[in-house]
Amino acid sequence: MLMQSSQKVSVIISYYNAMKYIDRCVTCITGQTYENLEIILVDDGSSDGCGDRCRELTAGDDRVVHIRKPNTGVSDSRNRGLRAATGDWLYFADVDDLLVPDAIETLFTAAYKGGCSMAIAEFYRVRGDRYFCSNRGYGGVVSKNDFLKRMRMRPANIYYGSLWNKIFKREVFEESGAKFDGKIAFGEDHLFFLQMLDYVDKIAVVDRPLYYYMDNDGSLMHQGVVNPVALVKNKLLLYKGYNKLYKDAGMDDKVSDKLKSLFVLVAPATDAMVMPYHTQIDGEQASIIENQLTVEGLNSAKNQLED
């Protein structure tokens, strides 16, 4: 049963030269089963015509807000989107990835019914013909301290560090004063999350994958753009962010050895890649991914949920 509410969710997406993905992305967001959305699409100075295509695809949808700006990077674009957002909740997605049709509805429902200021969900990571399904094995409403106890064991995992598997109440953003740091080469979403989490009370955990993270060769890491100096700088900033978070929660004496001595240089993201031994995409999963990676498949999936 679909849940609708007077509470509006602001969806913020920054894109740059994304003609390859723009049709799928727009269909994926505008076709969400939760319809009370404000969709903020920030064109970060694209030169491939995807901005015009984006406007064409969303013509007549009064939920959509378009922002066109010079190419100043994803952090500045997201900050611009945040300044424009008027929703009661905030959600971020990446233009080259995919949400299941009821992703926003599921996250919102879990947070709203649980009286939480944040919800988080599992995800699929897809690379080539293989995929990895994150699975922490628990769900329901948890306290922030319980969440922090779990997070300290895997501080670098993208389950915690990414934004696309989370929804936040607007008050958390306003109270935290969080913003994206455009001075760092990568990991700005992880730092933003740590700032937000400091002001979260309890968390709704959804034990179901709602997002397909497409592991594309165009990422900074795959391009080799991130050099060792930038990597260490990022780890140091993350360490400081984690240290403040646990101290503010009165849990600084509970920080694991991984955070204290290993995190700065070597704490791995154990869900950070799809390995050769991970599940091959075939059968039912192949059909799901193949169909939902097309505009027609997304529309069909939504119609099935609404029937």
Side-chain angles (χ1 to χ4, degrees):
M1 181 178 179
L2 303 183
M3 177 179 177
Q4 301 297 328
S5 169
S6 61
Q7 302 239 323
K8 181 168 61 179
V9 178
S10 292
V11 181
I12 300 172
I13 301 173
S14 167
Y15 65 92
Y16 172 74
N17 286 354
M19 186 63 83
K20 182 178 179 180
Y21 309 109
I22 202 68
D23 281 49
R24 190 181 77 198
C25 173
V26 169
T27 302
C28 179
I29 298 299
T30 59
Q32 284 289 301
T33 57
Y34 191 81
E35 297 178 350
N36 191 7
L37 303 178
E38 174 184 57
I39 303 167
I40 302 175
L41 298 165
V42 185
D43 180 357
D44 188 27
S46 299
S47 58
D48 66 347
C50 66
D52 293 334
R53 177 59 178 162
C54 189
R55 285 170 169 76
E56 178 184 338
L57 290 166
T58 58
D61 191 334
D62 59 9
R63 301 174 301 169
V64 178
V65 176
H66 291 281
I67 298 175
R68 178 173 285 174
K69 53 181 279 296
N71 180 222
T72 54
V74 65
S75 290
D76 183 49
S77 296
R78 285 172 169 171
N79 286 332
R80 287 282 297 272
L82 281 167
R83 290 198 294 271
T86 63
D88 305 288
W89 296 80
L90 300 173
Y91 176 78
F92 297 87
D94 291 344
V95 69
D96 54 344
D97 294 332
L98 170 73
L99 288 74
V100 301
D102 61 337
I104 294 175
E105 178 199 350
T106 301
L107 283 167
F108 168 76
T109 301
Y112 185 77
K113 289 188 173 180
C116 302
S117 50
M118 169 190 155
I120 183 171
E122 303 289 353
F123 65 95
Y124 293 106
R125 183 159 187 159
V126 181
R127 182 163 178 79
D129 65 348
R130 295 188 178 273
Y131 72 95
F132 167 90
C133 178
S134 71
N135 182 14
R136 260 129 287 268
Y138 76 106
V141 175
V142 300
S143 67
K144 182 167 74 173
N145 279 17
D146 182 56
F147 186 82
L148 292 179
K149 289 174 185 177
R150 295 174 183 270
M151 185 173 71
R152 74 185 183 206
M153 303 308 297
R154 294 180 175 86
N157 275 23
I158 62 174
Y159 173 82
Y160 297 109
S162 297
L163 294 175
W164 34 252
N165 63 335
K166 304 173 181 68
I167 194 170
F168 299 94
K169 210 167 186 178
R170 182 182 184 86
E171 282 88 342
V172 173
F173 166 68
E174 293 174 341
E175 291 171 7
S176 69
K179 63 180 181 179
F180 293 93
D181 187 348
K183 296 180 181 179
I184 60 175
F186 71 104
E188 69 288 336
D189 45 356
H190 200 160
L191 290 169
F192 181 86
F193 171 59
L194 294 180
Q195 294 176 65
M196 296 276 276
L197 185 55
D198 209 4
Y199 290 81
V200 166
D201 47 17
K202 54 183 178 177
I203 299 153
V205 180
V206 178
D207 189 20
R208 172 192 161 202
L210 299 177
Y211 194 92
Y212 288 94
Y213 175 64
M214 311 306 292
D215 194 0
N216 299 308
D217 289 333
S219 70
L220 290 176
M221 294 297 285
H222 284 301
Q223 293 177 41
V225 173
V226 180
N227 59 48
V229 174
L231 179 61
V232 172
K233 179 181 178 181
N234 173 265
K235 292 286 189 178
L236 286 168
L237 287 171
L238 287 175
Y239 177 77
K240 291 178 181 178
Y242 269 101
N243 198 47
K244 180 180 185 302
L245 178 64
Y246 281 86
K247 183 176 181 180
D248 289 348
M251 297 176 63
D252 45 326
D253 61 328
K254 302 290 186 181
V255 175
S256 69
D257 289 340
K258 187 175 291 185
L259 274 172
K260 287 182 176 177
S261 60
L262 297 178
F263 180 69
V264 171
L265 295 178
V266 299
T270 54
D271 57 358
M273 62 186 67
V274 179
M275 303 297 289
Y277 58 80
H278 281 144
T279 309
Q280 186 168 6
I281 298 173
D282 57 14
E284 182 180 1
Q285 187 66 27
S287 176
I288 291 172
I289 294 176
E290 182 179 356
N291 288 337
Q292 291 194 7
L293 292 184
T294 66
V295 171
E296 294 78 10
L298 287 165
N299 288 329
S300 175
K302 183 190 177 187
N303 291 336
Q304 289 178 18
L305 285 169
E306 292 177 336
D307 289 341

